[in-house]
Amino acid sequence: MSNSRMTVREIARLAGVSVATVSRVSNGTGQVSEEMRRRVLEAIEKHGYRPDHLGRALAAGRHGALGLVFPGLSGPYFTELIQGFESEAGPSRASVHILCTHLRSDSDAQVLEMGRRVDGVAVIGGTVSDDALLRLAEKVPVVVIAGQGPGDIASVRPENPASMAALTRHLLADHGLRDLVFVGNPQGSPDVSERWAGFRQAHRDLGVTPPAEPVAVGLQQADGVLVAQRLLGGTDPWPGGVVCANDETALGVLVGALGRGLRVPQDLVITGFDDVPTAALVTPALTTVRQPVRELAAEAARLLLAAAGRPGDTPHGSLVLPTELVLRSSCGCPAPSAGS
């Protein structure tokens, strides 16, 4: 009976040969004795075997798996990344192993250990040390997502500085705002560092003195709520606007501001970055920068799968994906049309 789910290991067992022999016969490569070839072909014909990615990987001494390294898994951003990565790995029959480094003191060692069990690793920028990345790249192909790795390690990242500069110029020039604050920690993320640079550049371009320091906090919604308490709870004047490094923080600031009875944007302008689904659903809807989160991860998976199919190869170069400014009500722009 034909069985399209038959695996290369099962065919090898039925034919009494090795997995490598089944691969050589099914792919028409390498030398195989006529007797072994006959047994393999009979098993393939009888059971309807169709070679797949995992079978080819096993025959080539690979694992049929890719690694994905995050700082943590909370929030919609990382959900989108996982879905994008699996959208490429899944059809290729490659499993995905996920490692979260948050609160791990042995992150570098764990990432290097992962490299022994997968055919390639995608790492979120800023998650592990440069030394660990270089050592990992000696074992398997490596791609950095949302950052730049050391040496010639490949990277896939969004366009950050120019898009954040465009958003900041919009607030300064089109809305006449001053005393903007930037919320995010440039030391904790390559993405945030580039956005902080774009924020400051927009001020300089318009002859406005930028703030000397950001409000350095994490990137979760709870951090944004705390920022709102800090900025709005004292006796100091409120800022003209809060420019957040990501949407989750911006949504937290929005919750904190509305909870204090402020009107957004009349009393306080709030903007984010990412364009997570919730950004368009809150009231007022969040002005932000849309980045192709799923495509970042999907492209990283494509690079790793291509390198895994060419032993000894490794991806190189830097790919920057475009972003888009999305103007909504939280900065004082007219409400957009449905779906924007």
Side-chain angles (χ1 to χ4, degrees), residues 38-76:
R38 181 188 62 77
R39 284 154 43 190
V40 170
L41 290 175
E42 285 181 355
I44 288 175
E45 178 66 23
K46 180 177 180 180
H47 297 281
Y49 168 68
R50 296 293 181 270
D52 60 17
H53 169 81
L54 182 58
R56 292 192 297 270
L58 290 169
R62 302 199 302 274
H63 303 276
L66 298 177
L68 188 54
V69 182
F70 289 133
L73 288 178
S74 63

Side-chain angles (χ1 to χ4, degrees), residues 145-268:
I145 301 175
Q148 285 185 284
D152 60 355
I153 291 176
S155 66
V156 184
R157 67 187 196 276
E159 194 297 303
N160 285 305
S163 52
M164 180 57 85
L167 172 58
T168 306
R169 280 195 298 271
H170 171 72
L171 301 179
L172 294 170
D174 298 339
H175 291 286
L177 296 174
R178 294 296 182 268
D179 301 322
L180 301 179
V181 298
F182 181 90
V183 175
N185 185 2
Q187 301 303 315
S189 162
D191 271 349
V192 176
S193 178
E194 291 186 342
R195 292 167 197 172
W196 167 240
F199 172 83
R200 289 173 57 82
Q201 185 60 50
H203 281 77
R204 289 191 290 265
D205 290 345
L206 295 174
V208 179
T209 301
E213 299 291 339
V215 180
V217 297
L219 296 174
Q220 297 186 23
Q221 187 167 326
D223 298 310
V225 175
L226 294 176
V227 166
Q229 295 174 354
R230 172 177 168 183
L231 294 176
L232 309 175
T235 58
D236 294 335
W238 298 328
V242 180
V243 178
C244 297
N246 74 333
D247 284 349
E248 287 188 67
T249 310
L251 292 169
V253 175
L254 179 63
V255 169
L258 296 177
R260 290 183 169 272
L262 272 69
R263 300 169 302 162
V264 178
Q266 294 90 336
D267 298 326
L268 181 69

Side-chain angles (χ1 to χ4, degrees), residues 10 12 18 31 47 51 75 117 140 157 166 173 177 179 188 195 210 216 245 257 272 276 315 317 320-321 332 337 340:
E10 291 168 329
S18 68
Q31 294 184 349
H47 297 281
R117 298 179 278 108
V140 293
R157 67 187 196 276
L177 296 174
D179 301 322
R195 292 167 197 172
V276 299
V320 180
L321 301 186
S337 59
S340 299

